[in-house]
Amino acid sequence: MKILVLNCGSSSIKYQLVDMANNAQVMAKGLLERIGLEMGEFTHKWNGQKHYEQVPIPDHTAGIKIVLNALIDPKMGVIKDFKEIGAVGNRVAHGGETFDKSVVVTDEVIEKIKALTPLAPLHTPGNLAGIYAMREVLSGVPQVAVFDTAFHTTMPPKSYLPRRLPR
């Protein structure tokens, strides 16, 4: 299975296409920056090669379309058809106490992530923008939300509780 991994921020999209059937090989990766400004920057890397261009990226949906078109491009693409993408993994900054592990994205999950926006107000809107964009562009592909904070739920109490100092 090939998984498109997204890390969408307020004005950027970082991505990797990973082939899980081939030892999690990174087939392509890249970065879109300056989303929403007059001119953005797009960098795409594949097979030891690199493409860079300045291009308008008005919003995250336009950015996702640029990424997907690069992945199937005859020159710099690494797949022939979008159907090769089996799932999308979305980095989400904060899951609060609601999410202690990765979850499949549903309408209910989106509403819960929205409710957690005050915990990461600079990151969550961008994270959600990526989820919405993928829903619009590749509607049939399952998405998973992967929460930065879920890692911390696996820590033993001695790792996060303060030590009592001797008196």
Side-chain angles (χ1 to χ4, degrees):
M1 173 188 292
K2 294 178 180 83
I3 299 174
L4 179 59
V5 180
L6 297 176
N7 178 354
C8 295
S10 60
S11 63
S12 68
I13 299 172
K14 296 178 187 96
Y15 67 93
Q16 290 188 353
L17 184 65
V18 180
D19 185 355
M20 298 307 293
N22 192 12
N23 295 318
Q25 174 195 6
V26 176
M27 300 173 68
K29 64 182 178 177
L31 170 66
L32 291 97
E33 297 178 286
R34 303 172 54 91
I35 295 172
L37 298 178
E38 185 176 330
M39 192 60 67
E41 298 179 1
F42 172 53
T43 304
H44 178 76
K45 298 177 182 179
W46 77 104
N47 297 329
Q49 299 182 57
K50 179 179 175 179
H51 170 82
Y52 170 83
E53 69 179 308
Q54 292 187 329
V55 60
I57 312 169
D59 57 32
H60 283 75
T61 300
I64 292 296
K65 288 177 182 177
I66 290 168
V67 169
L68 293 173
N69 286 329
L71 292 174
I72 64 164
D73 183 84
K75 179 184 174 199
M76 61 182 162
V78 293
I79 58 175
K80 299 216 182 299
D81 191 288
F82 298 139
K83 292 177 184 168
E84 292 184 51
I85 299 172
V88 176
N90 297 277
R91 179 254 179 168
V92 179
H94 214 302
E97 293 181 18
T98 306
F99 298 105
D100 61 358
K101 63 182 180 251
S102 301
V103 295
V104 173
V105 174
T106 63
D107 292 339
E108 181 182 352
V109 166
I110 288 172
E111 290 306 312
K112 289 179 180 180
I113 293 171
K114 274 195 233 179
L116 296 170
T117 299
L119 298 177
L122 299 177
H123 299 285
T124 304
N127 301 156
L128 285 168
I131 291 170
Y132 292 139
M134 285 306 306
R135 275 189 156 189
E136 182 179 328
V137 178
L138 288 183
S139 60
V141 177
Q143 294 191 69
V144 173
V146 181
F147 300 90
D148 290 357
T149 52
F151 164 78
H152 300 288
T153 65
T154 64
M155 296 170 63
K158 71 177 185 175
S159 297
Y160 62 83
L161 292 177
R163 278 195 259 158
R164 295 188 184 264
L165 297 174
R167 293 185 177 200

